[in-house]
Amino acid sequence: MAKLVPPLLDWFSQNARDLPWRRTRDPYAIWISEIMLQQTQVKTVRPYWERWMRELPILEAAASAGPDKIHKLWEGLGYYTRARNLQKAARQIMERHGGKFPRNFEDVLALPGVGRYTAGAICSIAFNQATPVLDGNVMRVLTRIFGIEDDPRERKTGQWLWQIAGDLIAQAKAAETAKRKTCGRSGRGTNSCSCLNQSLMELGAVVCTPRNPECQICPVQRLCVAFLQNRADKLPALRRRVTATPRRFAALVVERNGKFLVRRRPAGVVNAHLWEFPNAEIGAGLRGPRHTSAIAEAATEILGLAPAEIKPLCQIKHSITRYRITMEAFRVRLNGFPSTPPGVWMSAEEFDSLAFAAAHKKLALFAAGCMLSG
Ligand code: SF4
């Protein structure tokens, strides 16, 4: 175990990608990056993180920002509960910790939206504490290095991997204490816990990738059971996930005097508080006349008026958790307009200030373009 630490630290000090959140030890900035990086790739997060830090550079600003601002800064990143939890946590820090980001692991873990992995990442990266991390990348790296055959998503195997990650970072801390070893491109001095965790994350992201790991350039090749037994492509041994469930929605694009009918999603549902075009779920397997009448019925129910004409506009496919969603958009013409519309009328220019759910953002751009060009 101890033999793994020096090559990982050396490799990280020379090969770490120069990411903007790696140039700081500010726990607020690191926390924002870790929350954004949950379920999202580095290249996607980078501009979002930079914009967030520009607009809300300190924790106090995040705590006091309006929900519209938070949603707009998050628009397109998905999993919006993260943004709402982030603000709740910022307010909690203001109230319970006097605006100072907590250093204690249990206090960090108690923040809304922060789990064991994220708390471990923040405490190790910002404060150089020996708190382990285990995300998908680290899990893959450790499963391969230690030749673990069991499914790492199983509870027992997960506990074992947490134990290994904990032992590794404890070794790094012990080595640092003994040698006051330096690492990292920032010249921060002794921060082995920070570097050890980041080296595992980085190795999983750029070398020990899910497919075709680059074992020939890996710093721990000689210590890796999977490599030595030529089993890297067999590990981790993940059980097949439940197959995706198809779902189909009809979205209605209704225009009046250059404005579109849009509405805000209610609290307590997926993508709560984000904007969308009126829509309804229709049967995924419907075809032909049954499909046509299902859309007409949905439009009548939503708008409170039977449509005079419904024309297909576009189709947008996306996935949320285990659902593979097809959103079919229709341009709807009405004879008259509902007295109490199920939403508000907004122009394409006003869309810029609203945070839309991802599929509806695409539809907003598409619809605006279609209407402008007639
Ligand atoms: Fe992953 Fe290959 Fe390195 Fe083992 S030697 S940790 S399988 S990249």
Side-chain angles (χ1 to χ4, degrees):
M1 179 85 66
K3 282 187 182 165
L4 284 166
V5 173
L8 284 169
L9 292 179
D10 288 346
W11 175 80
F12 185 70
S13 71
Q14 287 161 32
N15 295 281
R17 286 170 295 174
D18 182 21
L19 303 175
W21 46 88
R22 284 195 176 145
R23 298 181 204 139
T24 176
R25 297 288 293 273
D26 175 5
Y28 166 68
I30 289 164
W31 168 51
I32 301 295
S33 74
E34 286 299 333
I35 300 294
M36 286 185 171
L37 285 164
Q38 290 168 2
Q39 326 261 4
T40 314
Q41 292 187 337
V42 164
K43 69 173 189 302
T44 306
V45 165
R46 194 176 189 135
Y48 278 91
W49 183 88
E50 286 170 337
R51 190 165 59 131
W52 182 288
M53 294 308 297
R54 228 179 9 253
E55 304 259 335
L56 306 171
I58 54 171
L59 195 141
E60 207 172 349
S64 59
D68 286 345
K69 172 116 189 161
I70 298 286
H71 280 119
K72 194 65 193 161
L73 287 171
W74 209 269
E75 187 187 43
L77 260 186
Y79 302 98
Y80 290 84
T81 311
R82 292 183 295 174
R84 287 188 285 280
N85 276 336
L86 220 155
Q87 187 167 50
K88 269 192 223 159
R91 289 178 177 165
Q92 193 169 304
I93 295 170
M94 295 305 294
E95 284 163 20
R96 299 189 191 165
H97 303 283
K100 199 162 185 293
F101 202 96
R103 289 180 75 95
N104 179 284
F105 177 80
E106 297 302 331
D107 290 339
V108 178
L109 189 61
L111 297 172
V114 173
R116 188 175 176 187
Y117 163 82
T118 306
I122 295 168
C123 288
S124 61
I125 298 170
F127 307 127
N128 196 38
Q129 292 174 14
T131 48
V133 293
L134 189 71
D135 66 350
N137 281 337
V138 178
M139 198 177 266
R140 183 170 58 256
V141 170
L142 295 182
T143 306
R144 286 174 173 167
I145 292 176
F146 291 89
I148 294 169
E149 296 282 352
D150 297 322
D151 184 343
R153 292 205 203 103
E154 279 168 13
R155 199 158 164 265
K156 246 178 109 179
T157 321
Q159 285 172 344
W160 185 16
L161 288 164
W162 272 107
Q163 180 67 49
I164 292 174
D167 289 349
L168 274 173
I169 201 159
Q171 292 284 350
K173 186 76 179 172
E176 176 182 302
T177 307
K179 294 184 189 171
R180 311 306 297 168
K181 188 176 176 71
T182 59
C183 72
R185 56 172 72 218
S186 59
R188 293 169 194 150
T190 53
N191 54 356
S192 294
C193 296
S194 168
C195 292
L196 191 275
N197 273 352
Q198 291 189 78
S199 74
L200 291 170
M201 298 174 193
E202 189 79 349
L203 196 68
V206 301
V207 176
C208 193
T209 46
R211 286 189 200 149
N212 306 321
E214 296 196 69
C215 301
Q216 61 289 350
I217 57 163
C218 179
V220 293
Q221 186 200 76
R222 285 183 303 133
L223 301 165
C224 175
V225 172
F227 173 76
L228 296 172
Q229 297 182 353
N230 200 20
R231 284 194 292 137
D233 59 340
K234 305 271 187 315
L235 298 176
L238 300 169
R239 265 184 289 114
R240 276 177 182 254
R241 281 189 185 275
V242 185
T243 44
T245 307
R247 294 177 72 180
R248 199 177 187 187
F249 288 78
L252 312 175
V253 178
V254 190
E255 191 193 6
R256 184 178 81 168
N257 301 330
K259 295 196 170 193
F260 299 93
L261 189 61
V262 289
R263 67 187 185 188
R264 200 165 200 172
R265 290 179 65 77
V269 300
V270 174
N271 291 338
H273 308 299
L274 298 184
W275 289 83
E276 65 176 10
F277 287 84
N279 64 87
E281 183 160 12
I282 54 172
L286 291 179
R287 298 282 178 274
R290 289 178 61 215
H291 175 238
T292 310
S293 65
I295 292 157
E297 276 169 30
T300 306
E301 193 175 328
I302 294 171
L303 302 168
L305 285 176
E309 185 183 56
I310 301 180
K311 277 188 174 174
L313 195 60
C314 65
Q315 196 179 73
I316 295 165
K317 292 187 184 256
H318 64 117
S319 296
I320 299 180
T321 59
R322 65 187 178 86
Y323 299 112
R324 192 164 298 143
I325 296 169
T326 301
M327 187 171 84
E328 297 173 321
F330 298 89
R331 186 173 184 169
V332 177
R333 199 169 55 75
L334 298 170
N335 286 329
F337 291 99
S339 48
T340 48
V344 290
W345 298 99
M346 292 268 192
S347 67
E349 293 73 38
E350 286 170 304
F351 285 172
D352 289 343
S353 62
L354 306 180
F356 277 92
H360 289 265
K361 175 78 177 177
K362 286 182 193 160
L363 178 55
L365 294 169
F366 187 82
C370 287
M371 299 305 164
L372 289 174
S373 61

